[in-house]
């Protein structure tokens, strides 16, 4: 994967953080007010909201990529776990669950061994195994989920999904990644699992593989920042599916619309 201009990504991530709703201002409250806060763990779906019960004078999210809060309203932003601190005193655990679960998430334990991945990848059927690759088929709505290894350690993942599943797959990805607001090179769209490169661990590169399939390549953010390329899975050899870049232009426009970014 070609390294994208760092200043451009940092600028986008800074804007993404600035665009979030402002936190409520801190104000004084009585002990009685403090005791009225419901500190039960919160579970909310991505895109949905939850109102904290009690006299909320201030509320701050420890990870706004996962959940944001304005006054007493918590909004699930992306799938994950975080916490909300209310009135500078009460720490409330927050879990954001997905609405879209078209497949089990790929195992992104970067640096893990093949044995570890085989133990954790419980969905689908192992179709092919080599010294540096594991390829699973029929993983939920994913036709193929391939794991690539370098020096025995997990270094990259590719997921192949039918074009007919485009809308569901895009929604699935958007619940887990924040995509750059413009198209990357070669009809590719980049998503990150955090609002800053320092916090991100995984980059997802989504593209049209041919007229029948979407392809999403996952790689460690550390490798992306260093300019390293993710080891590739030979999809054509594994599934017998040839790529077709000449036929992807119109489908890429559809993909842009589905992601909600500029073409």
């Amino acid at each position: 994967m070609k390294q994208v201009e760092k200043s451009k990504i940092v600028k986008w991530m800074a804007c993404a953080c600035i665009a979030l709703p402002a936190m409520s201002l801190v104000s004084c409250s009585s002990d009685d007010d403090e005791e009225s806060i419901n500190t039960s763990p919160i579970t909310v779906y991505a895109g949905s909201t939850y109102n904290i019960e009690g006299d909320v004078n201030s509320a701050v999210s420890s990870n706004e990529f996962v959940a944001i809060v304005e006054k007493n309203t918590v909004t699930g932003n992306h799938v994950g776990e975080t916490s909300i601190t209310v009135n500078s005193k009460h720490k409330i655990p927050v879990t954001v669950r997905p609405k879209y679960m078209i497949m089990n998430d790929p195992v992104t334990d970067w640096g893990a061994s093949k044995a570890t991945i085989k133990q954790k990848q419980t969905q689908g059927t192992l179709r092919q195994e080599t010294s540096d690759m594991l390829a699973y088929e029929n993983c939920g709505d994913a036709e193929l989920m391939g794991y690539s290894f370098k020096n025995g350690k997990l270094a990259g993942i590719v997921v192949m999904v039918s074009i007919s599943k485009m809308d569901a797959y895009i929604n699935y990805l958007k619940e887990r990644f924040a995509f750059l607001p413009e198209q990357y090179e070669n009809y590719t769209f980049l998503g990150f699992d955090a609002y800053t490169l320092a916090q991100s661990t995984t980059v997802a590169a989504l593209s049209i593989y041919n007229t029948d399939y979407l392809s999403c390549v996952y790689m460690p953010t550390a490798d992306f920042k260093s300019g390293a390329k993710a080891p590739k899975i030979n999809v054509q050899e594994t599934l017998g599916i040839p790529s077709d870049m000449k036929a992807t232009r119109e489908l890429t426009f559809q993909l842009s619309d589905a992601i909600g970014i500029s073409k």
Side-chain angles (χ1 to χ4, degrees), residues 113-144:
S113 66
K114 282 175 62 179
T116 297
I117 299 303
K118 289 176 75 172
Q119 180 181 26
K120 292 187 175 183
Q121 179 60 41
T122 58
Q123 189 178 45
T125 303
L126 182 61
R127 173 168 178 160
Q128 186 176 347
E129 178 178 358
T130 67
S131 60
D132 58 3
M133 183 265 289
L134 293 171
Y136 292 83
E137 61 182 352
N138 301 322
C139 301
D141 284 344
E143 300 275 347
L144 171 74

Side-chain angles (χ1 to χ4, degrees), residues 3-181:
Q3 187 178 18
V4 72
E5 187 179 346
K6 299 292 176 53
S7 60
K8 201 170 186 179
I9 292 181
V10 171
K11 182 178 179 181
W12 166 78
M13 289 183 165
C15 290
C17 292
I18 292 173
L20 293 172
M23 299 300 102
S24 303
L25 295 176
V26 177
S27 61
C28 297
S29 61
S30 67
D31 291 338
D32 290 340
D33 290 339
E34 295 289 333
E35 294 303 320
S36 70
I37 299 296
N38 184 346
T39 58
S40 300
I42 296 171
T43 297
V44 63
Y45 286 101
S48 297
T49 60
Y50 179 92
N51 290 330
I52 301 172
E53 298 177 3
D55 298 307
V56 177
N57 297 299
S58 70
V60 178
S61 171
S62 63
N63 187 344
E64 292 175 337
F65 181 83
V66 176
I68 57 179
V69 59
E70 185 174 14
K71 296 183 178 179
N72 69 326
T73 302
V74 178
T75 302
N77 205 17
H78 295 91
V79 174
E81 296 182 350
T82 185
S83 63
I84 301 293
T85 301
V86 177
N87 297 347
S88 304
K89 177 180 179 181
H90 302 286
K91 191 171 184 178
I92 306 174
V94 177
T95 299
V96 178
R97 292 182 176 175
K99 290 180 179 177
Y100 296 89
M101 197 66 189
I102 67 171
M103 63 182 183
N104 291 349
D105 294 340
V107 182
T108 54
D109 294 352
W110 304 117
S113 66
K114 282 175 62 179
T116 297
I117 299 303
K118 289 176 75 172
Q119 180 181 26
K120 292 187 175 183
Q121 179 60 41
T122 58
Q123 189 178 45
T125 303
L126 182 61
R127 173 168 178 160
Q128 186 176 347
E129 178 178 358
T130 67
S131 60
D132 58 3
M133 183 265 289
L134 293 171
Y136 292 83
E137 61 182 352
N138 301 322
C139 301
D141 284 344
E143 300 275 347
L144 171 74
M145 188 176 292
Y147 294 90
S148 181
F149 299 83
K150 184 176 181 180
N151 298 323
K153 298 180 179 180
L154 180 64
I157 304 168
V158 63
V159 175
M160 303 289 292
V161 176
S162 170
I163 288 291
S164 65
K165 308 284 187 180
M166 178 187 288
D167 288 343
Y169 188 45
I170 296 303
N171 287 327
Y172 164 90
L173 288 173
K174 288 171 69 176
E175 288 185 336
R176 294 157 174 80
F177 296 92
F179 282 85
L180 292 177

